[in-house]
Amino acid sequence: AQSVTQLDSQVPVFEEAPVELRCNYSSSVSVYLFWYVQYPNQGLQLLLKYLSGSTLVKGINGFEAEFNKSQTSFHLRKPSVHISDTAEYFCALGDYGGSQGNLIFGKGTKLSVKP
Amino acid sequence: GAGVSQSPRYKVAKRGQDVALRCDPISGHVSLFWYQQALGQGPEFLTYFQNEAQLDKSGLPSDRFFAERPEGSVSTLKIQRTQQEDSAVYLCASSLSYEQYFGPGTRLTVT
């Protein structure tokens, strides 16, 4: 069975500091991965995606993530966060192994940026 | 262009009532997904349509849940005889390829 684990439920950080949100996955088939951001009372907005190819992917708002197959990880990073980055972040997995395309989500990490 | 829209945004239902939640996907998107997001959790898959065909309904929690997409565009998720455990945010997503684009969700509260 496939799964996504987000190791930190909450991450507090000061403005302009770097941040890393961790995501590990488990799957027996090839995967693709996304990071989504959710602001209060809103839907999910796609931050970035890894489908194949280069393992370092860049997304919107200065975020980037690195796909590491040996570590089964897809950690999200930003070198300098802003107050406006305060939100909940979800890592999601899809597989190329025949599923219909539904995504499996982690439980989310709440990023809180303090001034 | 217009994104995925959902209505109503908020719904309060008394236990035992039936509810219908609507999703308008991005025009031209073939695939449509419904997810349920409980408080403090990530979204969980409910069902999937490709055009008007419901190809996977393995995530529907009970036979009280029913979804349709009769013309391959707008979709409706219906919950019959609502229970308190149905309280959640229901998210709809549409897709042309691998990326899924989400609507704002409908927050259902069953009292």
Side-chain angles (χ1 to χ4, degrees):
Chain A
Q2 298 161 320
S3 65
V4 175
T5 302
Q6 292 184 241
L7 297 163
D8 305 296
S9 60
Q10 297 189 47
V11 173
V13 64
F14 286 106
E15 193 174 18
E16 298 183 7
V19 71
E20 178 180 81
L21 306 184
R22 296 180 292 169
C23 172
N24 285 85
Y25 69 90
S26 174
S27 176
S28 58
V29 298
S30 295
V31 300
Y32 51 93
L33 291 150
F34 304 111
W35 275 98
Y36 285 89
V37 60
Q38 187 174 38
Y39 298 101
N41 298 316
Q42 295 187 26
L44 301 171
Q45 180 183 2
L46 182 64
L47 262 184
L48 48 76
K49 62 187 178 187
Y50 170 78
L51 300 180
S52 65
S54 174
T55 56
L56 182 63
V57 292
K58 294 187 185 296
I60 62 172
N61 302 339
F63 284 93
E64 64 179 33
E66 185 159 17
F67 173 69
N68 188 320
K69 188 174 180 180
S70 62
Q71 303 282 333
T72 60
S73 68
F74 189 57
H75 300 332
L76 180 70
R77 300 185 183 100
K78 186 170 182 179
S80 176
V81 294
H82 302 291
I83 298 285
S84 59
D85 293 323
T86 294
E88 190 156 22
Y89 293 78
F90 291 94
C91 182
L93 173 152
D95 75 78
Y96 290 109
S99 76
Q100 301 287 4
N102 53 289
L103 298 177
I104 296 170
F105 286 84
K107 292 190 174 183
T109 298
K110 289 184 179 175
L111 176 64
S112 174
V113 181
K114 304 174 186 304
Chain B
V4 178
S5 61
Q6 293 186 245
S7 61
R9 289 292 315 277
Y10 303 91
K11 177 70 179 178
V12 178
K14 291 188 176 178
R15 192 173 59 167
Q17 282 185 331
D18 298 348
V19 298
L21 312 180
R22 177 187 169 108
C23 172
D24 281 88
I26 294 171
S27 178
H29 278 195
V30 169
S31 301
L32 185 146
F33 301 83
W34 283 99
Y35 293 85
Q36 180 189 59
Q37 186 177 19
L39 192 63
Q41 301 295 316
E44 292 192 355
F45 170 75
L46 293 177
T47 186
Y48 161 65
F49 290 86
Q50 188 173 74
N51 295 307
E52 68 277 5
Q54 189 175 20
L55 298 185
D56 187 348
K57 52 182 180 179
S58 62
L60 295 177
S62 78
D63 58 9
R64 296 185 296 103
F65 286 71
F66 171 76
E68 60 183 5
R69 194 186 185 198
E71 296 178 0
S73 179
V74 171
S75 177
T76 304
L77 176 67
K78 297 179 180 177
I79 309 173
Q80 297 177 322
R81 304 181 304 281
T82 52
Q83 304 293 315
Q84 274 197 313
E85 62 262 28
D86 300 335
S87 294
V89 175
Y90 291 86
L91 294 166
C92 174
S94 70
S95 174
L96 201 52
S97 181
Y98 293 102
E99 301 93 321
Q100 294 184 21
Y101 297 90
F102 284 79
T106 294
R107 182 178 297 278
L108 173 65
T109 303
V110 181
T111 61

